[in-house]
């Protein structure tokens, strides 16, 4: 066999892990906060792989993303339900970043845009799990998490749906969120 190069090895392994993610759709808010121990955690991925199986590029991609996700997890201004949703995106986002090097350079990259939208929506305190916007967030995270085959397309679809949901939800005041985003 050969090492886990980005061409298949690592991506294939992530695809397998993705299939084992708990389903979000239809889960109640309590269930969707799946027991933390079975949640994929990016920084742990690197330690779990055999030494030398990652290319330098893959390694730095994982490190950078670990930092991004860690920032989100530690941000108490984002409600825990939304942090759980963002946590669910770690594998799909990692796969997107590994297969598309523009991920780190394009702010409009659909996978980046999705994390950005979710964290931004998280800044406004939501009304709870039955809030239509939260439902839209969960539906779209599930879409991206489940559909490993058309990843980039799934992200783009999800972002379009989230943006439509935000537009429909007139409580989103651009001026209110400009400050925290600038600060971040």
């Amino acid at each position: 066999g050969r090492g886990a190069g980005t061409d298949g090895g690592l991506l294939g392994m992530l695809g397998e892990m993705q299939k084992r993610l708990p389903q979000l759709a239809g889960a109640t808010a309590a269930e969707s906060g799946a027991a933390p121990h079975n949640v994929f955690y990016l920084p742990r991925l690197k330690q779990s792989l055999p030494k030398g199986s990652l290319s330098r590029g893959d390694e730095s991609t994982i490190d950078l993303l670990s930092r991004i996700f860690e920032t989100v997890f530690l941000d108490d201004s984002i409600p825990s339900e939304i942090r759980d949703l963002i946590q669910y995106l770690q594998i799909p986002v990692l796969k997107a970043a590994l297969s598309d090097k523009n991920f780190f350079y394009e702010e409009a990259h659909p996978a980046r845009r999705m994390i950005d939208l979710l964290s931004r929506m998280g800044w406004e305190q939501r009304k709870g799990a039955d809030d239509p916007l939260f439902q839209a967030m969960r539906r779209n995270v599930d879409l991206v998490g489940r559909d490993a085959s058309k990843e980039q397309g799934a992200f783009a679809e999800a972002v379009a749906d989230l943006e439509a949901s935000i537009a429909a939800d007139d409580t989103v005041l651009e001026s209110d969120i400009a400050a925290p985003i600038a600060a971040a």
Side-chain angles (χ1 to χ4, degrees):
R2 27 186 296 274
T6 309
D7 29 291
L10 181 55
L11 285 171
M13 187 188 77
L14 290 169
E16 285 309 303
M17 293 168 92
Q18 194 171 1
K19 288 188 192 121
R20 295 196 299 270
L21 282 176
Q23 290 301 292
L24 282 181
T28 64
E31 291 161 4
S32 71
H37 64 265
N38 68 6
V39 169
F40 173 78
Y41 187 53
L42 214 48
R44 226 173 282 139
L45 170 70
K46 231 172 78 175
Q47 293 146 18
S48 69
L49 295 172
K51 272 229 176 299
S53 64
L54 288 176
S55 73
R56 295 276 298 268
D58 291 352
E59 227 174 275
S60 48
T61 298
I62 293 174
D63 288 344
L64 275 167
L65 277 182
S66 297
R67 246 173 274 148
I68 292 171
F69 278 106
E70 208 130 30
T71 310
V72 172
F73 299 151
L74 299 173
D75 187 342
D76 289 332
S77 69
I78 300 176
S80 61
E81 302 86 2
I82 293 175
R83 278 186 284 179
D84 289 347
L85 288 181
I86 294 174
Q87 196 158 2
Y88 197 78
L89 288 174
Q90 289 174 103
I91 294 179
V93 168
L94 175 57
K95 286 171 68 184
L98 288 169
S99 49
D100 181 2
K101 296 299 177 219
N102 290 328
F103 175 84
F104 291 107
Y105 306 106
E106 277 176 26
E107 268 178 50
H109 190 288
R112 267 184 70 171
R113 189 91 191 90
M114 181 140 182
I115 298 177
D116 186 47
L117 281 173
L118 288 173
S119 358
R120 212 165 80 184
M121 290 156 85
W123 262 307
E124 302 128 49
Q125 294 311 301
R126 285 285 145 209
K127 295 164 273 296
D130 45 357
D131 177 52
L133 204 46
F134 181 72
Q135 291 296 335
M137 291 162 85
R138 208 163 85 194
R139 181 176 66 243
N140 285 297
V141 168
D142 198 46
L143 167 87
V144 168
R146 208 184 24 239
D147 204 338
S149 55
K150 56 167 193 163
E151 214 112 85
Q152 300 291 341
F155 273 116
E157 254 173 73
V159 165
D161 187 55
L162 280 173
E163 287 177 332
S165 305
I166 294 173
D169 183 290
D170 52 352
T171 56
V172 177
L173 300 169
E174 287 301 345
S175 57
D176 286 359
I177 50 182
I181 288 178

Coordinates of all heavy atoms in Angstrom, one line a residue, residues 13-15 18 28 36 49 52 59 63 71 95 99 130 143 145 156:
M13 N -10.3 8.3 3.6 CA -10.4 8.0 5.0 C -11.4 9.0 5.6 O -12.3 8.6 6.4 CB -9.1 8.2 5.7 CG -9.1 7.7 7.2 SD -7.5 8.1 8.0 CE -7.7 9.9 8.2
L14 N -11.3 10.3 5.3 CA -12.3 11.3 5.8 C -13.7 11.0 5.3 O -14.7 11.1 6.0 CB -11.9 12.7 5.3 CG -10.6 13.2 6.0 CD1 -10.2 14.5 5.3 CD2 -10.8 13.5 7.5
G15 N -13.8 10.5 4.1 CA -15.1 10.1 3.5 C -15.7 9.0 4.4 O -16.9 9.0 4.7
Q18 N -16.9 10.4 7.6 CA -18.1 11.2 7.3 C -19.3 10.4 7.3 O -20.4 10.8 7.8 CB -17.9 11.9 6.0 CG -18.9 13.1 5.8 CD -18.5 13.9 4.6 OE1 -17.6 13.6 3.9 NE2 -19.3 14.9 4.3
T28 N -33.8 15.6 17.5 CA -34.2 16.8 18.3 C -33.0 17.5 18.7 O -31.8 17.0 18.6 CB -34.9 16.3 19.6 OG1 -33.9 15.5 20.3 CG2 -36.1 15.4 19.3
P36 N -20.3 14.1 23.2 CA -19.1 14.8 22.7 C -18.0 13.8 22.4 O -17.2 14.0 21.5 CB -18.7 15.7 23.9 CG -19.9 15.8 24.7 CD -20.8 14.7 24.4
L49 N -3.1 9.7 13.1 CA -2.5 9.1 11.8 C -1.1 8.7 12.0 O -0.4 9.3 12.8 CB -2.6 10.2 10.7 CG -4.0 10.6 10.3 CD1 -3.9 11.8 9.4 CD2 -4.7 9.5 9.6
G52 N 4.3 10.6 9.4 CA 4.8 10.6 8.0 C 3.8 10.3 7.0 O 4.1 10.2 5.8
E59 N -0.6 18.6 6.3 CA -0.4 18.9 7.7 C -0.7 20.3 8.0 O -1.4 20.6 9.0 CB 1.0 18.6 8.1 CG 1.1 17.7 9.3 CD 2.5 17.3 9.6 OE1 3.0 16.3 9.1 OE2 3.2 18.0 10.4
D63 N -3.6 21.9 10.4 CA -3.3 22.8 11.5 C -4.1 24.1 11.5 O -4.6 24.6 12.4 CB -1.8 23.2 11.5 CG -0.9 22.0 11.9 OD1 -1.5 21.1 12.6 OD2 0.3 22.0 11.7
T71 N -11.1 28.3 17.6 CA -11.5 29.7 17.9 C -13.1 29.7 18.0 O -13.6 30.3 19.0 CB -11.2 30.6 16.7 OG1 -9.8 30.5 16.4 CG2 -11.4 32.1 17.1
K95 N -12.2 18.3 4.0 CA -12.1 17.7 2.7 C -12.1 18.8 1.6 O -11.4 18.8 0.6 CB -13.3 16.8 2.5 CG -13.1 15.5 3.2 CD -14.4 14.6 3.2 CE -14.7 14.1 1.8 NZ -15.9 13.3 1.8
S99 N -9.0 19.5 -1.0 CA -9.2 19.3 -2.4 C -9.2 20.6 -3.2 O -9.2 20.6 -4.4 CB -10.4 18.4 -2.7 OG -11.5 19.0 -2.0
D130 N -36.5 25.6 17.7 CA -37.6 25.6 16.7 C -37.6 26.9 15.9 O -38.5 27.1 15.0 CB -39.0 25.4 17.4 CG -39.1 26.3 18.6 OD1 -38.1 27.0 19.0 OD2 -40.2 26.2 19.2
L143 N -27.1 18.6 5.2 CA -26.9 18.5 3.7 C -25.5 18.3 3.4 O -25.1 17.4 2.7 CB -27.5 19.7 3.0 CG -27.2 19.8 1.5 CD1 -28.2 19.0 0.7 CD2 -27.2 21.3 1.1
G145 N -23.0 17.6 5.5 CA -22.4 16.5 6.2 C -22.7 15.2 5.5 O -21.9 14.2 5.5
A156 N -22.2 25.1 -1.7 CA -22.8 26.2 -2.4 C -24.3 26.3 -2.2 O -24.9 27.4 -2.0 CB -22.4 26.1 -3.9

